Every structure is written in C-alpha cells, then in structure tokens.
Amino acid sequence: MRDRLVGQFELIPHPEGGYFRETYRAGDRVSRAATGDVRSASTAIYYLLSDDAYSAWHRIRSDEVWHFYAGGALDVHVLTRDGSLVTHRLGNALERDDAVFQAVVEAGQWFAAERVDPASYAFVGCTVAPGFEFSEFELANVDALLAEYPGHSDIVRRLAPRS
C-alpha cells in the first residue's frame, strides 16, 4: 500500500519520518502579532506512516489539526505545558470507539505519532494555521526533552528523532 499511496499522491520523505506532500497553501497572508512574521493563513498536507516509520518528537509555532483518511489508527502523543502526556487516537471513529477523525495539537507543544498496529499504515492529513513553514519546524533534542519531561522517558526515547 505504501508504494501505491506514495505514487498516487506524489509523496516525498518527511524529515520527522514517513512521507508527505503539501496539498494547499492559502493565498491570504496573515501577520503574527508577537513577531510580525507574515505567512500563509493556512496550509494542508497528506501524511503517510508505514513500515518502521513514525513521526518523531517535534513542534511548530502554529496549531495543527490532524485528519484521518485511511488505514489503521494512529496515536498522536502530545507533551503538554503542564508536563502531562495526552494521546489522541486518530482513526476511523465509526469502527473504533476509542478513535476520533480529527485531533488538535496546539502551537508550541512537543508531539509525535505512531501507528497503533505496526503492521498497518496510516494515511492522514494535517492542516496548520497560520500556515506551516519549515523555518518554524523544530525536531526535539532528546536529552533536553528528557530533562523537561522525565516522567515520560520511555515514550520520549521510543519516538526520538533518528540520526
């Protein structure tokens, strides 16, 4: 299935793991009040996790909405500002009582994602507002993340960025 999805949707490798393709970038521009940076009002991507891929710990400066499309469920793990771990199970909510079709990660929070069933694939989408810019994408430094969230060391290590 991976090869079909990569080919059909023209996906390319993503630095955090998996494959993606930007599908939308709003023509409207917005300015961030705090910094004055100007960017697209919104962006959207397709995102695929399969094989041994996972989305490593990272954060961005905008809110991100995850949308489920096909395949198996995906756990989106979020390390919150108060030090807790919240997991959103993204999947087919008509087939799984524990799943949702959409999940939100607030701006500035560390997050990572992995498939519930490692033998499956997860084809999802992400919408970012204000729009995503790689200049605001930050892969986690695992040692710093472990120091900030010592109670979640197992999951931080498991979904650490690959070197």
Side-chain angles (χ1 to χ4, degrees):
M1 183 58 72
R2 181 200 65 188
D3 291 342
R4 177 181 175 194
L5 290 167
V6 167
Q8 183 173 346
F9 295 99
E10 301 173 3
L11 306 177
I12 60 174
H14 197 294
E16 78 197 41
Y19 296 88
F20 83 107
R21 181 171 64 88
E22 186 174 277
T23 58
Y24 174 74
R25 181 167 288 273
D28 287 345
R29 310 283 285 169
V30 295
S31 176
R32 286 190 188 275
T35 63
D37 294 341
V38 177
R39 58 198 348 76
S40 292
S42 179
T43 55
I45 65 168
Y46 287 133
Y47 185 58
L48 170 67
L49 285 178
S50 62
D51 305 317
D52 65 345
Y54 57 87
S55 171
W57 292 106
H58 64 288
R59 66 181 171 185
I60 61 175
R61 294 186 198 151
S62 298
D63 290 346
E64 182 166 350
V65 182
W66 289 62
H67 313 267
F68 177 78
Y69 296 139
L74 183 72
D75 281 344
V76 180
H77 306 289
V78 181
L79 293 168
T80 66
R81 290 174 185 85
D82 70 3
S84 62
L85 174 71
V86 173
T87 298
H88 305 282
R89 178 143 299 163
L90 195 68
N92 188 334
L94 299 175
E95 295 176 357
R96 295 184 66 118
D97 290 338
D98 63 346
V100 295
F101 282 116
Q102 296 180 351
V104 176
V105 177
E106 292 180 8
Q109 294 183 316
W110 291 106
F111 63 105
E114 63 184 333
R115 287 162 293 132
V116 173
D117 176 0
S120 70
Y121 70 94
F123 188 53
V124 301
C126 298
T127 302
V128 176
F132 177 81
E133 296 293 338
F134 269 106
S135 63
E136 294 187 348
F137 172 83
E138 181 183 3
L139 274 173
N141 173 302
V142 174
D143 292 333
L145 211 56
L146 288 169
E148 189 173 350
Y149 299 94
H152 305 295
S153 60
D154 289 345
I155 195 166
V156 167
R157 284 189 180 95
R158 187 174 77 243
L159 299 176
R162 294 181 172 155
S163 18

